[in-house]
Amino acid sequence: MEKVVEKLRVLHKTISTMESCTGGGLANTITNVEGSSDVIKFSAVTYSNEFKIKMGVSKGVIDTYSVYSMETAMEMSKSICQFTNSDYGVGITGKLNRFDKNNPNGENHVVFVSIYNSCEEQFVNFETAVIDSTREKNKETIIKLVEEKLLEIL
């Protein structure tokens, strides 16, 4: 993540995150880097639908596509970007091999990631299957994939 933070610093760009299944792991990884305070503005862990909606995710999107969808990840990335006036926003939602009785739709092993570039009003999206048996390993995998994608687009 050092390269991501350095690229953001050199470009004078900022980033914010709205994470669900990664539980703030991406923000933690960013803030573990010296000088990250120059680039990260804010991070929200929105495990519940209620707080995704309070942070700007459309209830209609959640109701139509489910909370576990690319559409919701896109709403998360754009909403956090707008809330914080950041250059980039990252939204992460999905299930880490766990059934959710409150949101039964969606596969139990798919994670959706959206990175929103507010300057160009563009999304870079991807989804990934989480196959490891531990939540910790799955979170690490997702965060590594986000890091790689950020390096590609910066």
Side-chain angles (χ1 to χ4, degrees):
M1 201 57 79
E2 293 85 2
K3 290 179 183 177
V4 170
V5 170
E6 184 57 28
K7 278 189 163 190
L8 287 167
R9 288 177 70 199
V10 166
L11 295 169
H12 303 288
K13 301 291 183 185
T14 57
I15 192 168
S16 293
T17 67
M18 188 184 306
E19 302 177 63
S20 187
C21 60
T22 49
L26 176 60
N28 180 61
T29 303
I30 293 169
T31 60
N32 283 340
V33 177
E34 187 74 31
S36 61
S37 60
D38 294 338
V39 301
I40 191 165
K41 281 193 165 187
F42 184 78
S43 178
V45 177
T46 55
Y47 254 39
S48 69
N49 294 3
E50 174 189 3
F51 281 91
K52 284 177 183 71
I53 293 165
K54 284 185 179 189
M55 290 299 300
V57 174
S58 164
K59 181 181 183 317
V61 166
I62 292 173
D63 290 347
T64 301
Y65 299 101
S66 109
V67 70
Y68 304 119
S69 65
M70 188 57 71
E71 291 81 3
T72 296
M74 291 170 69
E75 288 268 317
M76 292 168 73
S77 66
K78 187 172 182 178
S79 294
I80 199 68
C81 215
Q82 292 172 335
F83 180 76
T84 61
N85 196 30
S86 293
D87 298 296
Y88 294 93
V90 180
I92 304 171
T93 187
K95 297 182 192 179
L96 301 180
N97 297 329
R98 180 186 169 272
F99 177 75
D100 179 353
K101 66 180 172 68
N102 296 316
N103 298 287
N105 296 332
E107 297 180 56
N108 292 336
H109 62 280
V110 177
V111 174
F112 302 91
V113 178
S114 178
I115 301 169
Y116 181 70
N117 177 336
S118 67
C119 300
E120 297 180 19
E121 296 183 11
Q122 291 182 337
F123 294 93
V124 173
N125 303 323
F126 67 93
E127 65 181 71
T128 187
V130 287
I131 56 173
D132 204 285
S133 61
T134 70
R135 292 179 66 79
E136 184 177 10
K137 290 282 186 190
N138 284 322
K139 287 179 182 184
E140 288 172 9
T141 298
I142 296 160
I143 292 163
K144 186 69 177 162
L145 290 171
V146 173
E147 177 184 6
E148 291 168 4
K149 191 60 72 174
L150 283 168
L151 286 172
E152 284 177 26
I153 65 178
L154 291 175

